[in-house]
Amino acid sequence: GAVVSQHPSRVICKSGTSVKIECRSLDFQATTMFWYRQFPKQSLMLMATSNEGSKATYEQGVEKDKFLINHASLTLSTLTVTSAHPEDSSFYICSAADRGPVYEQYFGPGTRLTVT
Amino acid sequence: AQSVTQLDSQVPVFEEAPVELRCNYSSSVSVYLFWYVQYPNQGLQLLLKYLSGSTLVKGINGFEAEFNKSQTSFHLRKPSVHISDTAEYFCAVSEKGIGRQFYFGTGTSLTVIP
């Protein structure tokens, strides 16, 4: 149980275009989803926290107009990187937490974004 | 906010030798503690977690960790490593009753040498 999927696993886009990454909880309802960014050989950096039906809460330094997060249902959250630039190239990981005790997050397999 | 320190960025160890990966955190409040493993180009897989109770926690793949409240540590151990244990390991902390945010350490790259 507690499986989280991400789509796509890899995406290459041209500079200036937008790309959407989906995060789905497959067998549970995710009341809260988190989006992380990971640079090579570094730790995960929390970008934002989203609760179903509410606006996402962004961490300091993360541009909310550039990284659009939508958590429209209890099983789906999306991250849209708008007007992508090469410096946005990174590994993006989502995680989800269910209605149960607040202490556990289930992580997706990640999406490798390359902006050319 | 929490600060999570993984002192060893890289740990090389010979196959079948024991290993300890260190994790210290800063908070004085009650916490939940986690260890995750990440293989190249993959997401995080939970190895084990401490929520309450016994301070010695056993996880998957033969790993265990011990919670030491006085030293604010949660070191990960395995008595005999395998080649397949080569991966990146992350310690994470969540504060009880203060939301769901996880604070991650910087990671330890474990390399098992044949």
Side-chain angles (χ1 to χ4, degrees):
Chain A
V3 178
V4 176
S5 69
Q6 279 185 244
H7 178 80
S9 57
R10 289 177 175 271
V11 58
I12 301 172
C13 69
K14 292 187 177 181
S15 187
T17 63
S18 295
V19 61
K20 180 184 286 188
I21 302 169
E22 292 186 348
C23 177
R24 293 182 184 272
S25 58
L26 299 185
D27 50 4
F28 67 99
Q29 293 184 325
T31 53
T32 306
M33 284 186 168
F34 305 84
W35 286 94
Y36 296 86
R37 183 174 180 176
Q38 185 180 31
F39 291 102
K41 299 195 180 296
Q42 294 189 28
S43 188
L44 280 72
M45 181 190 78
L46 180 65
M47 299 175 66
T49 302
S50 73
N51 292 296
E52 185 263 339
S54 303
K55 288 185 177 180
T57 302
Y58 290 81
E59 296 299 302
Q60 192 172 7
V62 177
E63 298 176 62
K64 60 180 67 177
D65 294 330
K66 181 168 188 60
F67 298 99
L68 301 179
I69 291 170
N70 183 276
H71 191 167
S73 78
L74 285 171
T75 59
L76 174 65
S77 176
T78 59
L79 167 67
T80 302
V81 183
T82 61
S83 187
H85 292 286
E87 57 265 30
D88 299 324
S89 298
S90 192
F91 194 54
Y92 293 88
I93 301 176
C94 73
S95 71
D98 60 16
R99 295 180 188 274
V102 299
Y103 47 75
E104 190 142 12
Q105 294 182 25
Y106 305 99
F107 287 82
T111 296
R112 173 73 61 192
L113 170 63
T114 303
V115 184
T116 61
Chain B
Q2 277 283 343
S3 172
V4 182
T5 302
Q6 291 182 244
L7 287 171
D8 308 301
S9 59
Q10 296 186 45
V11 174
V13 62
F14 286 104
E15 191 175 15
E16 297 184 5
V19 70
E20 178 180 82
L21 308 183
R22 296 180 291 171
C23 174
N24 289 85
Y25 61 96
S26 62
S27 178
S28 59
V29 303
S30 294
V31 295
Y32 300 119
L33 298 157
F34 305 82
W35 274 100
Y36 289 89
V37 60
Q38 185 181 35
Y39 299 100
N41 294 310
Q42 294 187 27
L44 273 66
Q45 180 182 3
L46 180 66
L47 278 176
L48 47 79
K49 59 189 176 188
Y50 170 80
L51 305 178
S52 64
S54 173
T55 57
L56 182 62
V57 180
K58 294 190 183 296
I60 62 171
N61 301 341
F63 284 94
E64 63 181 32
E66 185 154 20
F67 169 52
N68 188 317
K69 186 175 181 179
S70 62
Q71 298 185 7
T72 60
S73 68
F74 191 54
H75 300 332
L76 180 71
R77 302 186 185 98
K78 186 170 183 177
S80 176
V81 295
H82 302 286
I83 296 292
S84 59
D85 293 323
T86 295
E88 192 80 18
Y89 291 80
F90 291 98
C91 178
V93 175
S94 177
E95 296 175 329
K96 289 184 182 180
I98 308 179
R100 298 167 180 248
Q101 183 170 351
F102 275 30
Y103 299 90
F104 282 90
T106 51
T108 297
S109 178
L110 174 65
T111 301
V112 180
I113 304 165

